[in-house]
C-alpha cells in the first residue's frame, strides 16, 4: 500500500543522505575521465534533413539522403522465402507476402525510399500486417529489401546547421575534452564503436563526419560481438551468418560491401584493436543495445577481456577519454546494468537478472521464460566497469524511467543509481567523483532505494545543466545548483509512467508546496520535501536535493 510507503518516506526507510548544497565547492581536478550522454542526440545531416535549419547544402549527387527499398519480384521472393521464417510464423509470412505485393501494386515501382515504404505499409489495408510483426521481424524485412549502398555516397553531417543546438554543443564538448590527452595544437585521435548497433555499418558515416567536422581524426573500431564470436569459432569468412545469429542483421555483406570487407579483414587480422586503442585519445560508444556492447568487451564468465582491461587502465592513467550515448553510457557501470523494462512493469513485477527480451517478443513468441516485452531485466555483475559509483540509465525523464531505476536499485541493493535525461551529459572525474552536467535537461540521483512487492521509495536529487558536484558510491556528497532564467519550451505532461510527468509536475515543489501526488492508471506517485531538502529553480525546472519519492501500484479496489 502506498499509504504506508508514503508515511515511511519521511521516516528511517528513506532518511536523508547527508548531501549538501554548496555555494562554492572545493577546487577539484578539472580532468574528466568519462563523458556520459543520455541519448536523444540529433544533428543535421544529408540523411536527416528534417534536423537541419538550412538544407540547401545537401547534394543528392554526392551524399546519402535516404535508404532505399527494392520491391522487385526477385526481392519479394527472397524476403518471404521459408529460409527467413520459422514454421510457427507461417501465417505472418503469408501476410507479409500479400502486403508487400499490395504495396508494390499501389506504388507501381520496384524501388522507393524507406520513408515511402513505411508510409505505405502503415496504410489501412496493410496496417494489421505491420502491427503483427515484432521489431526483429520488421528489421529483417528492411534488411533483406535494402538496396546496396554506394561508398561514394556517404552521409554527411553539418553540425552548425543543426536545429538541436544542445546536441551540437554536447558533441563539441566531447571533442574539446579529448584534447585533455594531446599536446596543444595536435589533432585528437578518436575511435568510435558501433558495437551496440544491430546494424554495425549504418552509423559509421554519421560519426566519422561529426567528429571530423569538429576537429578530430575519427576512425571506426570494427570490433563487435559478431567479430568476437567469429574469431572464437574461426569463422571470419562467415561473418554475415554470425551477424544474423548475434545481431539479427541480414545481408549486410551485400548492402555495405566495403565496410563488410573491412570488418572481415579486421576479424582475420586479430588483435589489431589493441594497437588502435593504445594510440587513441578517446573512445566513443554509440547507443542502441547495451547487451551487444557488453558482449563485445566482457567474456561469458563475466570477466573483462584483455582489451577492456587495457581500456580501463588507460582511462585511469588519464590517457584515454571514454564517451558514450544511450546504451553506450548505460553499459559503462560496474554496478548492475539495466537492459530493458518499463516503470509500470518494474513496480508490479520486479526485476529479472537475465538477458533482455527482444522488442515485440510477444508478437513472435521469442520472449525468454518469465519475461515479456516490458519486463525489467538487468545484468547483476555489471558492465564495462569504467564507472564505479552507480548504476546508470538514459533517455531518463523523457521515458518515465524513474520507477524502473528505483526498482533495480532496491532489488539489487545498489546504494546510488543515476538517470541521465536526453540531450544531456554528465562529465565525471573518477578519482574524486566530481562531475558537471551540460546540455538541455538534467540528471536524477536515486539513493537508498527500498521496495515492497508493489511499491518502491527512495531519496532523490535532481540537478540540471550547469550544475556540478561530487559523488561517492554511497550518494551525492556535494552539489552546486545551476542558475538560469530561460523557461523550458516543452508542453508539460502528468504522465510519469512513460513520459516527463514527474519532472514537469515537480516544478510546484520549488514554490510553497512540500508534497505532490500524481495518479497514472493504477499507479500513484508521491514526492515530498522535508527539513533536509533544498530546492532551486533553473531554466524553468525545479532542482531538488534530498527529496523523497514513492511510487506504488494501487488497483482501484485498493484506493
Amino acid at each position: 500500500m502506498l499509504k504506508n510507503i508514503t508515511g515511511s518516506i519521511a521516516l528511517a526507510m528513506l532518511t536523508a543522505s547527508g548531501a549538501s548544497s554548496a555555494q562554492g565547492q572545493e577546487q577539484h581536478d578539472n580532468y574528466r575521465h568519462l563523458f556520459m550522454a543520455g541519448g536523444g542526440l540529433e544533428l543535421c545531416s544529408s540523411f536527416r534533413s528534417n534536423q537541419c535549419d538550412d538544407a540547401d547544402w545537401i547534394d543528392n549527387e554526392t551524399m546519402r539522403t535516404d535508404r532505399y527499398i527494392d520491391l522487385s519480384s526477385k526481392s519479394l521472393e527472397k524476403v518471404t522465402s521459408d529460409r527467413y521464417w520459422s514454421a510457427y510464423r507461417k501465417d505472418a509470412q503469408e501476410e507479409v507476402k500479400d502486403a508487400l505485393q499490395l504495396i508494390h501494386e499501389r506504388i507501381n515501382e520496384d524501388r522507393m525510399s524507406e520513408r515511402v515504404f513505411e508510409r505505405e505499409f502503415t496504410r489501412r489495408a496493410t496496417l494489421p500486417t505491420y502491427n503483427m510483426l515484432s521489431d526483429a521481424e520488421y528489421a529483417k524485412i528492411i534488411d533483406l529489401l535494402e538496396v546496396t549502398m554506394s561508398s561514394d555516397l556517404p552521409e554527411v553531417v553539418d553540425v552548425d546547421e543543426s536545429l538541436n543546438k544542445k546536441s551540437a554543443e554536447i558533441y563539441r564538448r566531447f571533442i574539446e575534452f579529448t584534447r585533455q590527452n594531446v599536446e596543444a595544437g595536435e589533432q585528437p585521435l578518436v575511435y568510435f564503436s558501433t558495437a551496440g548497433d544491430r546494424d554495425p555499418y549504418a552509423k559509421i558515416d554519421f560519426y566519422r563526419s561529426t567528429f571530423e567536422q569538429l576537429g578530430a581524426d575519427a576512425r571506426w573500431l570494427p570490433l563487435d560481438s559478431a567479430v568476437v564470436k567469429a574469431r572464437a569459432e574461426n569463422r571470419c569468412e562467415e561473418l554475415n551468418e554470425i551477424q544474423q545469429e548475434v545481431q539479427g542483421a541480414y545481408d549486410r555483406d551485400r548492402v555495405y560491401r566495403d565496410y563488410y570487407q573491412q570488418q572481415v579483414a579486421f576479424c582475420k587480422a586479430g588483435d589489431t584493436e589493441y594497437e588502435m586503442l593504445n594510440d587513441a585519445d578517446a573512445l566513443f560508444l554509440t547507443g542502441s543495445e547495451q547487451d551487444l556492447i557488453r558482449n563485445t568487451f566482457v567474456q561469458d564468465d563475466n570477466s573483462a577481456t584483455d582489451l577492456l582491461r587495457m581500456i580501463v587502465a588507460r582511462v585511469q592513467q588519464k590517457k584515454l577519454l571514454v564517451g558514450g550515448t544511450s546504451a553506450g553510457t548505460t553499459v559503462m557501470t560496474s554496478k548492475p546494468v539495466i537492459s530493458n523494462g518499463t516503470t509500470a512493469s518494474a513496480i508490479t513485477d520486479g526485476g529479472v537478472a537475465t538477458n533482455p527480451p527482444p522488442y515485440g517478443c510477444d508478437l513472435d513468441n521469442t520472449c525468454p521464460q518469465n519475461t515479456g516485452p516490458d519486463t525489467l531485466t538487468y545484468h547483476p555483475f555489471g558492465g564495462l566497469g569504467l564507472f564505479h559509483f552507480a548504476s546508470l540509465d538514459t533517455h531518463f525523464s523523457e521515458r518515465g524511467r524513474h520507477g524502473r531505476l528505483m526498482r533495480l536499485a532496491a532489488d539489487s541493493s545498489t546504494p546510488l543509481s543515476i538517470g541521465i535525461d536526453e540531450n544531456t551529459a554528465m562529465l565525471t572525474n573518477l578519482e574524486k567523483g566530481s562531475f558537471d552536467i551540460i546540455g538541455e535537461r538534467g540528471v536524477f540521483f536515486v539513493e537508498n532505494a527500498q521496495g515492497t512487492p508493489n511499491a518502491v521509495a527512495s531519496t532523490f536529487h535532481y540537478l540540471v545543466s550547469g550544475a556540478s558536484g561530487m559523488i561517492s558510491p554511497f550518494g551525492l556528497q556535494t552539489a552546486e545548483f545551476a542558475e538560469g532564467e530561460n523557461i523550458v519550451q516543452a508542453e508539460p505532461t502528468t504522465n510519469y509512467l512513460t513520459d516527463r510527468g514527474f519532472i514537469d509536475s515537480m516544478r510546484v515543489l520549488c514554490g510553497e508546496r512540500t508534497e505532490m501526488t500524481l495518479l497514472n492508471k493504477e499507479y500513484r506517485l508521491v514526492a515530498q520535501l522535508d527539513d533536509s531538502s533544498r530546492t532551486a529553480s533553473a531554466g524553468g525546472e525545479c532542482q531538488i536535493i534530498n527529496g523523497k519519492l514513492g511510487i506504488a501500484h494501487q488497483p482501484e479496489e485498493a484506493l
Side-chain angles (χ1 to χ4, degrees), residues 15 69 114 128 205 377 426 449 475:
T15 55
I69 301 300
E114 183 185 8
D205 292 343
T377 57
M426 180 175 176

Side-chain angles (χ1 to χ4, degrees), residues 2-297:
L2 187 67
K3 183 176 181 180
N4 295 329
I5 289 288
T6 303
S8 66
I9 283 179
L11 300 178
M13 179 174 129
L14 295 170
T15 55
S17 68
S20 61
S21 176
Q23 294 297 319
Q25 65 187 58
E26 291 181 307
Q27 188 70 28
H28 57 79
D29 189 353
N30 289 323
Y31 188 90
R32 295 294 178 259
H33 299 81
L34 300 181
F35 190 104
M36 305 180 295
L41 303 180
E42 297 284 356
L43 292 181
C44 165
S45 79
S46 59
F47 193 74
R48 298 171 175 83
S49 59
N50 63 322
Q51 295 294 329
C52 300
D53 186 26
D54 180 3
D56 290 344
W57 61 274
I58 297 175
D59 183 357
N60 294 340
E61 300 298 321
T62 61
M63 303 175 186
R64 184 186 185 189
T65 58
D66 213 329
R67 180 156 62 167
Y68 289 90
I69 301 300
D70 179 14
L71 288 184
S72 64
S73 57
K74 181 178 179 181
S75 292
L76 293 183
E77 182 179 354
K78 177 180 180 179
V79 75
T80 57
S81 67
D82 291 344
R83 176 184 176 186
Y84 299 108
W85 296 87
S86 60
Y88 68 85
R89 291 294 281 171
K90 191 71 176 177
D91 290 347
Q93 178 184 357
E94 293 299 323
E95 292 282 352
V96 167
K97 183 176 182 180
D98 292 341
L100 296 181
Q101 289 175 340
L102 180 58
I103 293 171
H104 184 259
E105 291 170 3
R106 282 200 303 245
I107 299 298
N108 198 29
E109 292 182 3
D110 285 350
R111 187 167 294 190
M112 66 191 71
S113 71
E114 183 185 8
R115 294 180 178 91
V116 171
F117 175 76
E118 185 164 4
R119 182 194 71 199
E120 293 298 315
F121 209 156
T122 53
R123 288 176 61 174
R124 185 168 65 177
T126 49
L127 183 59
T129 302
Y130 180 88
N131 288 336
M132 74 185 297
L133 297 172
S134 68
D135 285 16
E137 289 173 326
Y138 184 74
K140 173 177 63 181
I141 291 170
I142 295 295
D143 281 357
L144 294 171
L145 294 177
E146 187 175 0
V147 174
T148 299
M149 282 298 306
S150 170
S151 57
D152 295 330
L153 296 174
E155 178 181 1
V156 179
V157 173
D158 191 328
V159 177
D160 291 337
E161 289 295 341
S162 298
L163 289 171
N164 193 326
K165 301 304 181 186
K166 292 300 184 181
S167 289
E169 175 196 343
I170 287 171
Y171 280 118
R172 283 196 184 94
R173 292 291 298 276
F174 172 69
I175 295 302
E176 286 175 11
F177 273 92
T178 66
R179 300 183 189 280
Q180 300 174 125
N181 302 322
V182 300
E183 296 294 333
E186 288 187 3
Q187 185 182 37
L189 174 57
V190 177
Y191 275 92
F192 58 91
S193 166
T194 58
D197 289 291
R198 188 192 63 82
D199 182 340
Y201 312 128
K203 295 180 182 177
I204 293 176
D205 292 343
F206 172 84
Y207 281 103
R208 177 182 286 129
S209 181
T210 298
F211 294 147
E212 285 181 349
Q213 188 176 137
L214 295 174
D217 178 359
R219 305 179 190 180
W220 175 48
L221 178 67
L223 183 69
D224 59 24
S225 54
V227 169
V228 171
K229 182 177 176 65
R231 284 177 175 174
E233 299 177 1
N234 196 25
R235 295 172 59 195
C236 289
E237 286 288 358
E238 303 170 22
L239 185 61
N240 60 320
E241 296 179 13
I242 294 178
Q243 287 173 340
Q244 294 180 30
E245 301 168 14
V246 173
Q247 297 162 320
Y250 295 78
D251 265 15
R252 300 303 85 191
D253 57 329
R254 174 184 61 80
V255 176
Y256 294 95
R257 291 171 180 168
D258 291 345
Y259 286 142
Y260 177 79
Q261 290 302 327
Q262 180 182 343
Q263 194 172 34
V264 169
F266 171 84
C267 181
K268 291 179 177 179
D271 295 344
T272 54
E273 58 268 25
Y274 290 90
E275 181 178 351
M276 291 176 174
L277 293 184
N278 190 59
D279 294 336
D281 299 305
L283 170 65
F284 191 86
L285 304 172
T286 67
S288 198
E289 302 293 333
Q290 46 264 49
D291 228 40
L292 293 177
I293 303 173
R294 188 180 188 275
N295 292 342
T296 302
F297 297 99

